[in-house]
Amino acid sequence: MNMDNSPAIAIENLSKTYKGKKRAQVEALKGMSLTVDQGEIFGFLGPNGAGKSTTIKCLVGLIQPTSGSARIKGIPVTQVESRRSMGYLPENPAFYDYLSAEEYLTFVGRTYRMSADQLTTRCREVLRQLELWDARKRPMRGYSKGMVQRVGLAQTLIHDPDVYILDEPMSGLDPIGRALVKEIIIDLKRRGKSVFFSTHITDDVEKVCDQVGVIVQGTLVAVDRVETILRSGVEGYQVHLRTPAGEPAAVIAGITPDRSNGPLAEYAVPCARFNAFMEAVNAAGADVALVETKRRDLEDFFLSLVHDHSPHR
Amino acid sequence: MLNIVRVTLKGIFRDRVFHGILAVAVVFLAIPSVSTLSMRQVTELSITLALSLESFILLLLAVFLGGTSLWKDIERRYTFSVLSLPITRSRYLFGRFLGIALFLILTAAVLGAGALVAVKVVSSGYPPDRPVAWGAIMAAVGFDALKYVFLVAFAVLFSSLSTSFFLPVFGTIAIFLVGGATQQVYDYVHSAAARTMAPLVRQVATLLYYLLPNFSSFDLKVNAIYAVPLDYHGLALTVGYCVIYTSLLLVAAAAIFGRREMK
Ligand SMILES: Nc1ncnc2c1ncn2[C@@H]1O[C@H](COP(=O)(O)OP(=O)(O)O)[C@@H](O)[C@H]1O
Ligand SMILES: [Mg+2]
């Protein structure tokens, strides 16, 4: 198999049923397939309990799928080698807390067979990048949640892998931390890396992702490019017209202004009637101050998908 | 794997439980004065005390380090971050075992040295009837350490099966007790007194004798205390037995742990 042309992540028909006590079963994943191409940033979006972490744990070999298979850069995830070119950030991660960040990164780097020289250089770079430099010698026992999360990111970056699998990388971070994570992901994209990250926050996806997959109750219900979703979501336009002083805002092409704001009147124009409306505006010689597109954003898209695919709603 | 061994050792040295257990070693200082309470055989008593104390500390370490190390990793969710690295489960498990084993051997060496010093102090104050068998004392310490390394393999096996610390800790204690008694039970079953016993019971007892560990041959206290010459052939057999049994336990543990779900 030519590894260079293999997708970063290929998941085929993956199912996972958790067996609990007394025959209690949870069908967490139901035959899911998806592909993340090399160089792609893939947002894995789904509400709590949708099966995001289950998918990711199958990818990194922590649990065995009930059926189906997955490959990282062409190598089946059942092989340890599949994890060599990968960095994984667990959800709410925990690391040997008696070690310092520096010691832990050294430990991780050694498992990736990095040389001592490489390790020293990379450790410094990564610790600086994640603003852990001053705390690097302190045991992680004394770290805040945000700092531990940053150690988690640092240990995915240390060996500079091609594929990044991040389970809720922004959780537990303050706005500054979140911005830092987005910056890191965008930087990875610029360097041609592949990132697969799960989240339940649409805003994170909108800002950084190329591709988004929506998972609801163990089923992938949509996969699309973020731009396509954003473009397809245009519902109409908000047109602001300047009205001559003292005159009330007029009804134009049958549309009444929904707001008059001093010398400005705002009209909500649906897509289908936009051309007719603008012709009427031109005919009346009205002065257009501003045209805004009104779109359904990713959040609405996500909410409607979740709504459609939840049986009890 | 060396990497895991290193991390394991760091973890033990920085653990508070370890500091507490080592504090028990301070009792060594009391051995000379306690031994003199005995009117006769002061040196013999000091050897007994030193070896028993050393053995007790190693038992505590074997049970608690062996029984809680894996459980702690799972409980504190370290397994997610560590087992997702390119390390096989078996390497991780062997690394943990080797780390603990190495630590036990190291502790045995340090405590053994302490024991020798204590015995030396006593024997120079109260010269014994026969010369102290220093070699036998060292052998006793060594084989005692080997016994606890063997016990740790049981702890690792139980840890690979269990999600709590209950089975690893109490299972290991149970194995320690059983392993110390198997020889006596076997001897009893095959003695004249047991002739009235049902043959089936005797067969089951014999089978268990071969399956369960037997710690009696690791016990060289008598040799050390009374300067009884060592049976080198027997000791070589004991080492072989320990190596084979420990390897089987670890292979079983790795097979079980490899299939385990890290949920
Ligand atoms: N260890 C487990 N045992 C039983 N059910 C589980 C286990 N882990 C997760 N689940 C169930 O599987 C489903 C998916 O969980 P998860 O993958 O953690 O969701 P997400 O990460 O999207 O929030 C949930 O219904 C959850 O309750
Ligand atoms: Mg999750």
Side-chain angles (χ1 to χ4, degrees), chain A residues 195-238:
Chain A
V195 182
F196 179 76
F197 78 91
S198 77
T199 177
H200 56 264
I201 299 161
T202 50
D203 190 50
D204 297 343
V205 172
E206 201 166 325
K207 296 272 160 56
V208 298
C209 290
D210 304 312
Q211 192 92 341
V212 59
V214 180
I215 180 173
V216 183
Q217 303 212 330
T219 310
L220 198 68
V221 296
V223 184
D224 214 333
R225 298 197 67 76
V226 174
E227 345 168 309
T228 315
I229 295 170
L230 293 179
R231 206 179 305 126
S232 72
V234 175
E235 286 178 322
Y237 301 88
Q238 192 77 4

Side-chain angles (χ1 to χ4, degrees), chain A residues 18 26 28 47-55 91 168, chain B residues 263:
Chain A
Y18 289 109
V26 183
N48 290 323
K52 303 183 294 293
S53 299
T54 302
T55 310
E91 183 175 25
E168 312 229 356
Chain B
K263 300 198 266 201

Side-chain angles (χ1 to χ4, degrees), chain B residues 76-155:
Chain B
R76 298 190 181 165
R77 304 161 15 86
Y78 298 151
T79 40
F80 292 136
S81 45
V82 173
L83 295 179
S84 54
L85 296 171
I87 310 172
T88 60
R89 300 266 177 108
S90 38
R91 268 172 187 256
Y92 165 80
L93 206 77
F94 295 154
R96 280 268 123 150
F97 170 76
L98 276 181
I100 297 169
L102 216 64
F103 178 74
L104 280 185
I105 291 168
L106 216 75
T107 310
V110 172
L111 294 183
L116 290 180
V117 170
V119 173
K120 181 83 196 163
V121 168
V122 173
S123 67
S124 55
Y126 300 81
D129 306 338
R130 56 182 104 70
V132 176
W134 298 107
I137 295 179
M138 282 190 254
V141 171
F143 274 81
D144 209 38
L146 201 61
K147 176 174 84 182
Y148 290 115
V149 169
F150 188 11
L151 195 62
V152 169
F154 275 98

